[in-house]
Amino acid sequence: MSMGQKYTWADFLKDHPELKTKGVKRTSKEGKKAFEEAYKTALKSHLKGLSAKLEREGKKATARRTALTTMLKADKGTVVAKVLQQRVGQKDHAIAFLARQIERAKAAQKTL
């Protein structure tokens, strides 16, 4: 889901019912300014939670990779070693992918 879909005008009106009763329109100066401020704060909190979640997943993937490497060291020269090497490669790819996602989330936080 794109960032614009994370926090919409309807979400804004749910958070600020006084503006709904006041009848503030989305295209008015007051409505634009208030929505942009609320949008930035909502997205910053979303990105902060997202980066924390990705870091947890990265730690789990690293732990799984270390477990697989210890199994691989114990099973040298067997047929199982090839399968374990493929799984370790998959975990390395997942860890690199999560690291890129974390960097993107941090960069998005800085630009807001």
Side-chain angles (χ1 to χ4, degrees):
M1 203 188 285
S2 70
M3 292 295 193
Q5 294 172 333
K6 294 290 181 189
Y7 192 76
T8 62
W9 181 254
D11 297 330
F12 173 72
L13 289 179
K14 286 178 188 174
D15 294 341
H16 302 89
E18 70 277 357
L19 294 176
K20 186 176 184 178
T21 58
K22 191 176 176 184
V24 174
K25 299 292 180 186
R26 184 176 187 170
T27 56
S28 68
K29 280 187 177 183
E30 182 183 357
K32 282 182 183 179
K33 186 175 179 181
F35 178 72
E36 285 178 11
E37 290 177 19
Y39 179 78
K40 286 180 182 180
T41 57
L43 280 186
K44 282 185 181 181
S45 66
H46 170 71
L47 289 170
K48 196 178 294 184
L50 179 66
S51 61
K53 177 185 170 189
L54 291 173
E55 287 176 4
R56 284 192 308 266
E57 288 180 14
K59 288 178 184 177
K60 286 180 184 178
T62 306
R64 287 186 211 122
R65 184 188 61 188
T66 55
L68 285 173
T69 54
T70 55
M71 288 173 54
L72 180 63
K73 289 178 184 177
D75 290 333
K76 284 188 177 179
T78 63
V79 179
V80 177
K82 184 176 180 181
V83 175
L84 289 175
Q85 286 176 344
Q86 289 175 344
R87 288 185 183 172
V88 169
Q90 289 172 348
K91 296 302 176 201
D92 285 337
H93 176 71
I95 291 168
F97 182 74
L98 288 171
R100 285 193 306 268
Q101 283 184 327
I102 291 169
E103 289 175 14
R104 285 185 198 135
K106 288 182 181 178
Q109 279 179 336
K110 288 180 183 178
T111 58
L112 284 180

